[in-house]
Amino acid sequence: MREDFDSYKRELDRVRLTEESKKALAESLGRRGAVESRRVGRRPLRMRRVLAVAAVIGLLSALSMAAVAQIDAAPTLGGFFTGDQAGYEQASGTVGRMAEADGWTATITDCVGDNFQSFLGVEIVAPEGTVLDAPYYEIYMDNEYDRMGVPGTTKGFCYSLPDDDPTDNKIHLIYNWYTTEGESNHVRMHVRLINLTENRGYLWDERNWDRPMVKEGMWDFGWLDIDYADNVLRLAPMAELPFPYEKLVLEEVVISPVGVYFRTNISNPYPVEYGDWYWENIPDSVRLLDVDGNEIFAKGHPFAGLGGAYFSFSNHTNAMNTADTEGPAELVVVDLDRIAAVEVAGVVIPVQ
């Protein structure tokens, strides 16, 4: 009997379960053990061990299925992006993976992005009677893709979005990553959310964050495929920009509902004159125009190298919605069908 008990214990130790799940499993195994002990004369010892292991595997499978589920989740990010709803639909995808820990459920609902940046929407629901009314929450997102060092991220955390009902038990959060290599879409990652905390800002005297724990635990979603629609406008304008030192040609433009990418004929090492001219003339000159010449969007938030620059329509700094940032997350999408031209450094490039 001791050997059978050790077998059960080893199986338990190999799986992360909630305390309630462990208790239920132990009680069920106890009942099965009592039945088997009454039948000890009817089955050989080896058969009883096989049945014991099978019982453990069956129960663990059932508990695992209850802890993680694929659901038809309402989109989190659709209501927080400003601009055109059509743009959200052109650049979004569903995820719908839910995990449970001690009565708290977390769901990765939807994703929005292009090849250079991605946004994930997260919904957390606490048990009934719990009120989540703090202005700023965050939860750490652990994933292999982030640890590979490919993208930049919002410091590894999901940050809460503005709450339209701070008296309930539900909050929405956003996770964002970006890469200069064009590898943000069609990503497979093993995702875990760890420890929901409140963010009260940075304590400068202590040189540390003030993050009181709200719910300690881990929500393991398993492997996820992050896929959203690849709707972009690709242009090869070969247009000369007014660079005073040498010929500068805009060779490629890629416009998505969430950002625009430019590539010129100048690559590393960049001339010093080009770098100075670039930062003085390019970042504040990017505009999207409609068929009437009206401005749809202007400026943007640049990242990436000088030869291949990407301008996000969303402010990544404000997406990190904490007590130390100014204002709520600023998320913007644009309907591709409205764009008639793109302007950069005073040069207008027709799209349609």
Side-chain angles (χ1 to χ4, degrees):
M1 291 297 292
R2 177 65 188 177
E3 188 174 346
D4 290 339
F5 174 79
D6 291 339
S7 175
Y8 299 148
K9 187 175 185 301
R10 284 193 298 272
E11 292 295 333
L12 272 174
D13 291 340
R14 290 171 57 188
V15 180
R16 292 181 180 269
L17 300 174
T18 64
E19 291 302 318
E20 292 84 354
S21 299
K22 290 180 181 179
K23 182 179 178 181
L25 178 57
E27 290 175 352
S28 179
L29 291 175
R31 290 192 296 270
R32 290 172 182 262
V35 172
E36 290 302 322
S37 65
R38 289 195 295 270
R39 296 176 179 173
V40 67
R42 301 181 185 179
R43 292 192 179 117
L45 181 60
R46 181 177 296 276
M47 178 61 71
R48 284 189 283 125
R49 289 176 180 168
V50 170
L51 290 173
V53 173
V56 170
I57 292 174
L59 286 166
L60 292 177
S61 298
L63 289 167
S64 297
M65 290 176 63
V68 181
Q70 195 71 27
I71 64 171
D72 185 15
T76 289
L77 300 176
F80 289 100
F81 274 90
T82 61
D84 306 312
Q85 180 62 27
Y88 168 80
E89 295 170 357
Q90 292 164 359
S92 63
T94 58
V95 182
R97 183 70 61 84
M98 181 183 71
E100 182 271 340
D102 299 329
W104 292 64
T105 62
T107 305
I108 298 180
T109 54
D110 55 338
C111 51
V112 180
D114 58 17
N115 285 336
F116 297 93
Q117 63 174 335
S118 295
F119 301 88
L120 291 185
V122 177
E123 179 185 78
I124 292 181
V125 180
E128 288 295 332
T130 304
V131 177
L132 299 176
D133 57 358
Y136 306 105
Y137 291 97
E138 60 188 36
I139 189 168
Y140 180 71
M141 176 177 279
D142 177 52
N143 65 85
E144 280 80 0
Y145 182 68
D146 195 357
R147 289 200 301 270
M148 287 191 302
V150 176
T153 69
T154 48
K155 298 182 180 178
F157 283 91
C158 304
Y159 293 92
S160 58
L161 293 163
D163 193 349
D164 59 355
D165 185 3
T167 65
D168 65 9
N169 62 335
K170 184 186 302 183
I171 56 173
H172 295 93
L173 306 96
I174 185 172
Y175 184 75
N176 171 226
W177 74 80
Y178 50 92
T179 169
T180 61
E181 304 301 322
E183 299 174 350
S184 285
N185 199 3
H186 311 303
V187 172
R188 184 168 174 79
M189 59 172 66
H190 188 168
V191 175
R192 305 170 188 85
L193 295 179
I194 301 172
N195 293 344
L196 177 65
T197 60
E198 180 185 348
N199 185 308
R200 296 180 179 175
Y202 192 76
L203 302 175
W204 291 100
D205 292 340
E206 300 179 17
R207 296 188 178 182
N208 200 2
W209 288 93
D210 185 6
R211 289 175 173 148
M213 185 70 65
V214 176
K215 172 57 184 171
E216 185 175 8
M218 182 179 72
W219 293 260
D220 191 336
F221 298 89
W223 287 91
L224 300 179
D225 291 309
I226 307 302
D227 291 293
Y228 39 80
D230 283 319
N231 289 313
V232 297
L233 301 173
R234 297 184 182 276
L235 310 174
M238 305 306 292
E240 188 168 348
L241 300 180
F243 181 50
Y245 301 99
E246 61 182 274
K247 187 173 183 180
L248 177 62
V249 178
L250 184 58
E251 296 182 337
E252 182 182 17
V253 178
V254 181
I255 308 171
S256 82
V258 297
V260 56
Y261 171 78
F262 298 104
R263 183 175 57 80
T264 69
N265 63 313
I266 295 183
S267 59
N268 275 322
Y270 306 114
V272 174
E273 297 87 353
Y274 174 52
D276 293 341
W277 177 87
Y278 175 92
W279 291 114
E280 290 176 3
N281 293 274
I282 297 296
D284 291 336
S285 72
V286 176
R287 299 198 305 155
L288 300 180
L289 308 174
D290 64 14
V291 292
D292 297 319
N294 298 317
E295 187 176 278
I296 300 173
F297 185 83
K299 293 188 179 181
H301 305 277
F303 60 87
L306 301 176
Y310 181 87
F311 291 78
S312 172
F313 301 154
S314 295
N315 186 334
H316 290 263
T317 300
N318 279 1
M320 295 185 288
N321 200 31
T322 73
D324 288 339
T325 55
E326 296 181 4
E330 181 185 343
L331 309 173
V332 181
V333 286
V334 174
D335 179 4
L336 292 178
D337 294 334
R338 292 181 58 206
I339 303 173
V342 58
E343 180 180 333
V344 56
V347 177
V348 177
I349 302 162
V351 171
Q352 56 184 4

